[in-house]
Amino acid sequence: MSVVYTPESLPLDTGRQRLVVLGTGWAAARLLRDIDPRLYDITVVSPRNHMVFTPLLASTTVGTLEARSVALHITSIQKALQQPQNQYVQAEATAIFPDRQLIEARSVDGVKFYIGYNKLAICTGSSGSTFGIPGVEQHAHFLRDVRHAEAIRSQLIENIALAGVPGRPIDDYNRLLHVVIVGGGPTGVEVAGELSNLINRDLKHVYPDRAKAMRVTVVEAKELLGTFDGSLREYAARKLVAQGVKLRKGVVKHVEPGCLTLTDGTVIPFGLCIWSTGVGPTPFTLSLPFAKTKVGRIAVDGYMRVLAPPLQQGQAGHVRGEGEAVGVTGQVTPLTKEHSTEVSDLFDPAKASGAAAAAAQSPSSSSSTTTTTTIANLRPVPHIYALGDCCATTDSPLPPLAQVAEQQGKYLASVLNAEARNLNPTQGEGGGAQGSGSGGELQPFKYRHLGSMATVGGTSAILQLGGANSFKIGAQRGLSIAGFLSWVAWRSAYLTRLGTIRARMQVAFDWTITLLFGRDLSRW
């Protein structure tokens, strides 16, 4: 039996508007931190009751940091969630009904229920992209959550122990001690650096023979750290190679138990494969009845409002989903600029393979019954916003970065706070927030790129500061720094951004213990 949660279902009815937030990632965490709980009652729906500080996940895979140090409970971010009119619900959103202002959700044990909203923020993030390559989901490890980091650490320690079993064939011995990282972006490079530091600093004292045999390989299809300046990429490559990391250019064809095959036919055996090739849309995002970009992200305007094609005749109160305009389930509806210039397609979930969003159908391959909609005809869905990796604007999509999501969360909180204050003058004057101009008019979101950082093992890191577009491949770069000072800046920056004093103390304590006594190689 399904239950609809209404204000009457809750222990306290304040009469305020209810803000429902889906997710607990970077965008959701910043939105929850900055929203004024005196203006909104808050409901958070997410299968995860904490926010993960993703830049430090690589350190968690080898025990430099403990898992609890990079996770921040949602009530630590917004204390008002402990009050009776607000709530956190451990469940996964499964559908949105804009006409009734309801979301459908399901708990991990299968209980389905509905929650009403006045304002809805979709912050459900993304999933690891497999590009439709067979075997990735079954035989490789992603690194997007604490449980992923713990699974990698557990597998790594187990492989090291299994390699020491007497009588093991040499080929199997070498395979178990080989870690392959697919993807040469910041995450892949940082994991490679942490692994090499583990081998050269800790493993050689515990298992000297296995430390000598241990290998780390990074497989990248294009450029290592492609968004960084050339001098920084060269520095990172030199540092990794000097620490024993092998860099290999290639494209993975398929992954099997214990080995992967490149498109040139090379077979690379492994004991542990870590997949870090980027992100794609989640099944939930693909299922929503809104316009999508060609890679499956929810289309939003400059104010973070979710966009959808105009309502069709007979569809009053209902936002059109994929295929409904032509009466065929799963039909792709191309999204075009004026004069039929293609920029984006509504993503077809029926043809999606996992999170591989690159297979969106183009207008030229659509059937003759496919209809087109100009971007100018898209309309904001009332009271629904999308933030972070799950969304993008149709004209200038931003990359799926933590700092993008965080800034969007800050922006939307300022907009909603200003709107509620204008509706409730007793709460204070509106305006003055990022989303409001000097005259009180709503201003679109503007992203400010703060720079990019990555550690490359030991006490070395790279740091790149630049303008608004410096994160793009081929864009003009700003200030570039490499070496020990960059490593100090990397640690200082993330230590100060952890959010709570407790989290900062935990991370600082873990770093100190690792420095003084090394990493713990116990497996639970």
Side-chain angles (χ1 to χ4, degrees):
M1 179 178 179
S2 299
V3 177
V4 178
Y5 283 90
T6 63
E8 292 76 19
S9 308
L10 301 173
L12 178 63
D13 180 14
T14 65
R16 293 190 285 259
Q17 294 190 84
R18 179 156 297 277
L19 169 64
V20 175
V21 180
L22 307 183
T24 52
W26 282 88
R30 187 55 190 261
L31 171 61
L32 290 169
R33 196 189 86 172
D34 289 3
I35 200 72
D36 190 342
R38 299 171 298 174
L39 304 175
Y40 292 93
D41 293 338
I42 305 167
T43 298
V44 180
V45 180
S46 175
R48 190 179 70 186
N49 69 354
H50 57 274
M51 176 255 190
V52 178
F53 201 78
T54 49
L56 298 179
L57 271 181
S59 299
T60 311
T61 61
V62 297
T64 305
L65 296 175
E66 293 298 325
R68 67 179 182 276
S69 301
V70 300
L72 198 61
H73 196 276
I74 197 68
T75 56
S76 298
I77 298 171
Q78 177 53 265
K79 299 291 186 182
L81 285 171
Q82 302 173 20
Q83 299 174 2
Q85 71 272 22
N86 306 315
Q87 59 181 168
Y88 161 73
V89 183
Q90 187 167 349
E92 187 170 5
T94 54
I96 298 174
F97 303 98
D99 51 330
R100 290 180 283 169
Q101 291 190 210
L102 286 175
I103 68 145
E104 178 187 272
R106 187 182 299 273
S107 66
V108 292
D109 58 351
V111 177
K112 186 170 74 172
F113 58 93
Y114 299 85
I115 295 179
Y117 65 84
N118 300 108
K119 302 288 184 182
L120 176 64
I122 306 171
C123 314
T124 50
S126 56
S127 60
S129 181
T130 67
F131 302 101
I133 297 173
V136 174
E137 293 185 353
Q138 296 80 11
H139 310 301
H141 290 265
F142 295 99
L143 182 55
R144 299 186 51 75
D145 206 342
V146 169
R147 58 189 174 87
H148 295 153
E150 290 191 313
I152 291 172
R153 182 179 179 183
S154 178
Q155 186 69 63
L156 175 67
I157 295 174
E158 181 181 24
N159 287 352
I160 293 171
L162 291 176
V165 174
R168 183 171 298 280
I170 188 63
D171 289 344
D172 198 33
Y173 176 85
N174 290 329
R175 179 189 65 80
L176 286 169
L177 296 177
H178 189 197
V179 180
V180 175
I181 302 166
V182 181
T187 300
V189 166
E190 288 187 341
V191 173
E194 289 282 357
L195 283 168
S196 64
N197 191 250
L198 168 72
I199 296 166
N200 298 326
R201 186 176 181 272
D202 300 303
L203 193 62
K204 71 176 185 180
H205 297 301
V206 183
Y207 305 115
D209 54 336
R210 278 167 261 184
K212 291 180 181 179
M214 191 119 188
R215 295 170 297 146
V216 178
T217 300
V218 176
V219 178
E220 168 57 41
K222 297 179 181 178
E223 289 284 339
L224 188 76
L225 298 169
T227 59
F228 283 80
D229 180 77
S231 62
L232 294 182
R233 297 202 304 268
E234 188 176 334
Y235 174 85
R238 287 201 313 268
K239 277 290 182 181
L240 291 174
V241 171
Q243 295 172 97
V245 177
K246 181 180 179 181
L247 305 179
R248 174 67 189 263
K249 189 169 186 177
V251 178
V252 177
K253 182 179 181 181
H254 58 80
V255 183
E256 299 174 294
C259 71
L260 60 82
T261 303
L262 304 182
T263 52
D264 63 3
T266 303
V267 177
I268 303 177
F270 63 79
L272 173 63
C273 179
I274 301 172
W275 196 268
S276 179
T277 59
V279 297
T282 64
F284 173 69
T285 299
L286 296 176
S287 72
L288 294 177
F290 309 129
K292 312 289 194 318
T293 68
K294 73 168 69 175
V295 294
R297 299 170 77 179
I298 300 170
V300 295
D301 64 9
Y303 307 94
M304 310 316 300
R305 299 177 298 189
V306 168
L307 299 176
L311 300 177
Q312 303 299 301
Q313 186 174 3
Q315 289 183 301
H318 178 67
V319 177
R320 185 181 66 185
E322 290 90 336
E324 293 179 0
V326 294
V328 180
T329 301
Q331 177 66 56
V332 175
T333 304
L335 209 62
T336 63
K337 278 186 177 178
E338 309 262 8
H339 314 299
S340 301
T341 302
E342 180 208 353
V343 295
S344 176
D345 296 330
L346 288 183
F347 199 88
D348 182 0
K351 297 183 179 180
S353 175
Q361 184 176 342
S362 64
S364 60
S365 61
S366 301
S367 66
S368 59
T369 59
T370 301
T371 61
T372 61
T373 303
T374 62
I375 289 178
N377 287 338
L378 291 178
R379 296 292 181 265
V381 182
H383 313 301
I384 301 182
Y385 305 85
L387 309 172
D389 294 2
C390 70
C391 71
T393 56
T394 55
D395 53 350
S396 182
L398 291 169
L401 299 175
Q403 57 182 302
V404 173
E406 186 180 29
Q407 290 181 36
Q408 288 174 343
K410 178 181 179 181
Y411 166 82
L412 183 58
S414 70
V415 168
L416 294 180
N417 286 338
E419 178 183 318
R421 289 190 181 104
N422 289 331
L423 293 175
N424 301 281
T426 58
Q427 293 290 345
E429 297 296 327
Q434 180 190 353
S436 302
S438 57
E441 71 278 7
L442 184 64
Q443 299 295 315
F445 170 73
K446 185 176 181 180
Y447 172 58
R448 177 171 171 258
H449 189 62
L450 302 177
S452 303
M453 297 184 290
T455 58
V456 293
T459 56
S460 298
I462 55 176
L463 169 63
Q464 178 175 286
L465 304 176
N469 295 318
S470 62
F471 57 86
K472 296 181 179 179
I473 296 177
Q476 185 176 359
R477 312 300 180 190
L479 178 64
S480 299
I481 308 173
F484 178 74
L485 290 180
S486 297
W487 178 79
V488 172
W490 180 89
R491 284 205 164 184
S492 301
Y494 287 137
L495 189 63
T496 56
R497 292 180 63 83
L498 278 167
T500 67
I501 295 177
R502 177 180 177 178
R504 296 186 191 115
M505 291 182 65
Q506 284 180 325
V507 168
F509 179 78
D510 287 349
W511 278 339
T512 303
I513 291 298
T514 299
L515 177 66
L516 296 177
F517 305 108
R519 299 170 178 87
D520 183 14
L521 295 177
S522 302
R523 179 177 181 268
W524 310 107

